[in-house]
Amino acid sequence: MTIKPLTVLGIESSCDETAVAVVRRDAAGKVEVLSSVIHSQVVAHAEYGGVVPEIAARSHVETIDDLAARALAEAGDITLDAIAATAGPGLIGGVMVGLSFAKGFALARNLPLIPVNHLEGHALSARLTEDVRFPFLLLLVSGGHCQLLSVKDVGDYERLGTTIDDAAGEAFDKIAKVLGLGYPGGPALEACARMGDATRFTLPRALLGRKDCDFSFSGLKTAAAKVAHEEVRTEQDRADLCASVQAAITRQLVERSDRAMKGFKEQNNVTGPDFVVAGGVAANTAIRNALKETSAKNGFTFVAPPLKYCTDNAAMIALAGLEHYQKQGTMPRDGHADMAALARPRWPLDEARSKSAPIHKSQGRKGAKA
Ligand code: KG4
Ligand code: ZN
């Protein structure tokens, strides 16, 4: 099949990173990131110990123009074919900023707008740099998401498991906050854990009776907070608790991934499929190494994209839009911006399954945010 070479501008603003990128994919399927600029808001949120949605939305408004100008300048002499923007899931104020900007830009240039699911961006991110073939298994593990997905094709995803409460990165951040380690907590907790004894504290194991691939971290968070208040007196105590927490999170990620790999192999007759890990938590060395070992044990090839494409970025959004465009051959409204696209705070990748087997009941939170 010959595919149309395309150059797409991507925009990402669903959490605390404003990002714009230009990505090209040629007729042979070779991907080139022509520019990828990111403005991280970590400093603005640090004093609150987490992302404040209003601060995030305002910061996106203030920075997006400049970032787009920089991304276009860095990409050089290009002709854009389309604009891809995150339309959800995420913090609604931020998503609206990026999507509105994209609509204005698309209108001004008379280009099609492709609304992209942020999770799909993560799902395809490994294809920015690696020759990852469908189907593959993905563990998306960040501050906002924790799920296992079977990635069958562009636009064809099966969610094998997701968190029923917090995301893994959120657990790292919240426990680090209780221990006074600052924000974001993941890297600080990992550093502190290096001096610790992971066997010192026994922490609860979540969803032990279940045989599925869902995650839960809230019990661990409560238990760790209790130990922190009652037993952590010295630097060594703190390091031991960090090491124990990291080991508990690692174990849960490994157990569910192992289960998902076995299920994936039963469903798909592929030799040496890829196991891709994406999201900020993939930066954790202990977690990475453990997942590498589990992949090898199950005959999977372990793939971890470079960290800059693992954490939130716009190159993955551009690629997701581009791959949809290339797969369809044409846009539904070629030459016109899709002004009807709505910003969605929640948007499961696998909508059919999330309706037939919802993680949350209709009251309260509808569908895991992660
Ligand atoms: O993908 P990301 O940049 O943003 C989203 O949440 O979408 O992920 C950030 C998360 C934070 O929760 C951060 O604490 C966690 O990834 N993280 C880590 C490490 N580096 C970042 N968690 C554990 N160990 C690390 N080394
Ligand atoms: Zn993300």
Side-chain angles (χ1 to χ4, degrees):
M1 187 183 78
T2 54
I3 51 177
K4 193 174 162 188
L6 288 175
T7 306
V8 173
L9 179 81
I11 292 169
E12 159 59 32
S13 60
S14 65
C15 192
D16 59 345
E17 258 103 30
T18 324
V20 186
V22 179
V23 173
R24 178 163 34 211
R25 190 158 180 259
D26 68 16
K30 188 173 157 291
V31 176
E32 212 181 329
V33 179
L34 302 176
S35 64
S36 178
V37 296
I38 301 182
H39 173 257
S40 167
Q41 304 172 2
V42 157
V43 177
H45 300 288
E47 67 173 294
Y48 305 98
V51 180
V52 183
E54 290 76 12
I55 294 177
R58 184 175 294 264
S59 173
H60 289 305
V61 172
E62 288 166 356
T63 52
I64 199 158
D65 279 340
D66 282 352
L67 285 185
R70 267 179 50 204
L72 286 168
E74 279 179 29
D77 189 15
I78 49 156
T79 306
L80 287 176
D81 294 295
I83 317 297
T86 297
L91 300 172
I92 192 70
V95 176
M96 283 167 72
V97 171
L99 190 59
S100 305
F101 178 87
K103 285 179 180 175
F105 194 91
L107 257 187
R109 301 266 185 123
N110 198 28
L111 289 170
L113 169 76
I114 314 166
V116 170
N117 183 315
H118 177 85
L119 300 173
E120 180 164 38
H122 279 300
L124 300 176
S125 62
R127 288 166 59 86
L128 282 166
T129 50
E130 323 279 329
D131 185 23
V132 177
R133 307 266 171 90
F134 302 115
F136 63 89
L137 187 62
L138 173 84
L139 172 67
L140 172 56
V141 68
S142 72
H145 330 288
C146 189
Q147 47 186 266
L148 277 155
L149 287 170
S150 170
V151 182
K152 300 173 181 189
D153 197 354
V154 177
D156 188 2
Y157 310 95
E158 185 187 355
R159 196 184 64 192
L160 304 175
T162 186
T163 179
I164 61 167
D165 41 56
D166 291 344
E170 208 174 350
F172 269 110
D173 293 339
K174 288 178 177 169
I175 295 168
K177 190 175 175 185
V178 169
L179 287 168
L181 289 169
Y183 174 83
L189 197 147
E190 180 178 14
C192 187
R194 273 190 212 113
M195 282 87 73
D197 169 8
T199 60
R200 165 93 183 275
F201 299 108
T202 307
L203 295 164
R205 295 177 68 183
L207 310 176
L208 259 189
R210 287 170 54 166
K211 292 278 164 275
D212 57 27
C213 299
D214 285 341
F215 302 88
S216 168
F217 296 101
S218 68
L220 172 68
K221 182 181 69 187
T222 309
K226 191 163 181 287
V227 174
H229 287 127
E230 292 172 0
E231 298 181 58
V232 172
R233 303 272 174 271
T234 65
E235 280 300 307
Q236 191 56 52
D237 295 341
R238 187 159 81 157
D240 291 346
L241 181 56
C242 285
S244 305
V245 164
Q246 182 172 272
I249 294 177
T250 306
R251 182 164 62 185
Q252 194 179 147
L253 294 174
V254 163
E255 277 175 6
R256 305 305 192 271
S257 299
D258 182 73
R259 208 172 274 165
M261 285 178 199
K262 297 194 160 75
F264 181 96
K265 287 194 107 170
E266 272 169 30
Q267 261 194 20
N268 302 281
N269 185 20
V270 242
T271 37
D274 289 320
F275 175 78
V276 178
V277 58
V281 179
N284 185 290
T285 311
I287 291 175
R288 239 178 148 92
N289 288 342
L291 291 170
K292 210 180 274 178
E293 208 175 287
T294 312
S295 301
K297 213 176 68 194
N298 285 291
F300 277 72
T301 305
F302 179 80
V303 180
L307 212 58
K308 62 181 175 180
Y309 299 136
C310 230
T311 56
D312 285 352
N313 66 88
M316 69 182 190
I317 303 301
L319 181 70
L322 193 157
E323 293 223 46
H324 266 285
Y325 196 162
Q326 276 183 333
K327 194 179 166 193
Q328 288 165 18
T330 169
M331 285 302 293
R333 303 185 192 189
D334 227 348
H336 297 278
D338 183 359
M339 291 302 136
L342 291 178
R344 297 177 61 176
R346 298 188 189 283
W347 181 5
L349 249 193
D350 173 355
E351 226 151 358
R353 185 176 156 84
S354 67
K355 281 191 185 131
S356 64
I359 290 291
H360 294 276
K361 305 232 162 54
S362 56
Q363 268 81 32
R365 287 160 54 178
K366 294 194 184 92
K369 58 184 165 177

